[in-house]
Amino acid sequence: KAGVTQTPRYLIKTRGQQVTLSCSPISGHRSVSWYQQTPGQGLQFLFEYFSETQRNKGNFPGRFSGRQFSNSRSEMNVSTLELGDSALYLCASSLSVDTDTQYFGPGTRLTVL
Amino acid sequence: AQKVTQAQTEISVVEKEDVTLDCVYETRDTTYYLFWYKQPPSGELVFLIRRNSFDEQNEISGRYSWNFQKSTSSFNFTITASQVVDSAVYFCALRGDKIIFGKGTRLHILP
């Protein structure tokens, strides 16, 4: 089975722009979660989707949003980018929610200039 | 509130030595899950193990072993006869309603 894929792998944007990141889960997985990883804050949970519904949300401002499509693919969007949004954004998929193991993609490294 | 503490920020050992990575957690849930992930320099988190709160049996997988002790809220990870390929950042995570990760321990295995 193919693993979790994320596109693009690298992205450079400037402050004020917006960005959309994409995640394709492992085939058959219906839950997708997003995380932000920075050297200072570590791995922080952004949100989790299951069957096209946002099930959980972390403590991030409204500039961070996401959605999940009927084929379980997910996108996250960050509007009005700030320098502090520079990070590795990781997507993880699991069969279901709560107890299932999450499998991670390679991440998208976003640099905001 | 849930919390995961990995007190060791960075560890360096010489190849073939054993090394233990500590993980202490806090939760009020009676049912929860604990995980260990490995993040090599490539950046992708690799799943290593999952343990539920009702299963305190220790587990061994090759050179890896895990010690889960509910009494001390700890879920420690030991690598026996370490190898250079074990060099990575290791994360402990707790999943109840949401998943919380520790800050990670950066492990250097020196040849």
Side-chain angles (χ1 to χ4, degrees), chain A residues 35 37 40-43 45 48 56-57 88 90 97-106, chain B residues 31 33 35 37 39 42-47 50 89 91 95-99 101-103:
Chain A
Y35 298 85
Q37 186 178 24
Q41 299 299 318
L43 268 162
F45 170 74
E48 179 178 40
N56 263 316
K57 191 177 189 305
L88 179 66
L90 291 161
V97 294
D98 292 337
T99 64
D100 282 334
T101 299
Q102 295 186 335
Y103 296 90
F104 285 78
Chain B
T31 301
Y33 290 80
F35 301 82
Y37 285 87
Q39 188 176 39
S42 61
E44 185 170 340
L45 269 77
V46 177
F47 165 73
R50 166 182 163 222
V89 182
F91 291 94
R95 179 157 187 153
D97 182 36
K98 296 179 185 179
I99 186 165
F101 283 83
K103 294 288 189 184

Side-chain angles (χ1 to χ4, degrees), chain B residues 13-21 59-66 77-86 90 107 109:
Chain B
V13 300
V14 177
E15 198 173 19
K16 296 184 183 175
E17 286 186 355
D18 299 347
V19 58
T20 295
L21 309 182
E59 180 155 340
I60 298 175
S61 176
R63 296 184 296 106
Y64 295 171
S65 62
W66 291 269
F77 172 33
T78 297
I79 302 175
T80 303
S82 60
Q83 298 176 2
V84 173
V85 293
D86 296 327
Y90 290 85
L107 177 63
I109 307 298

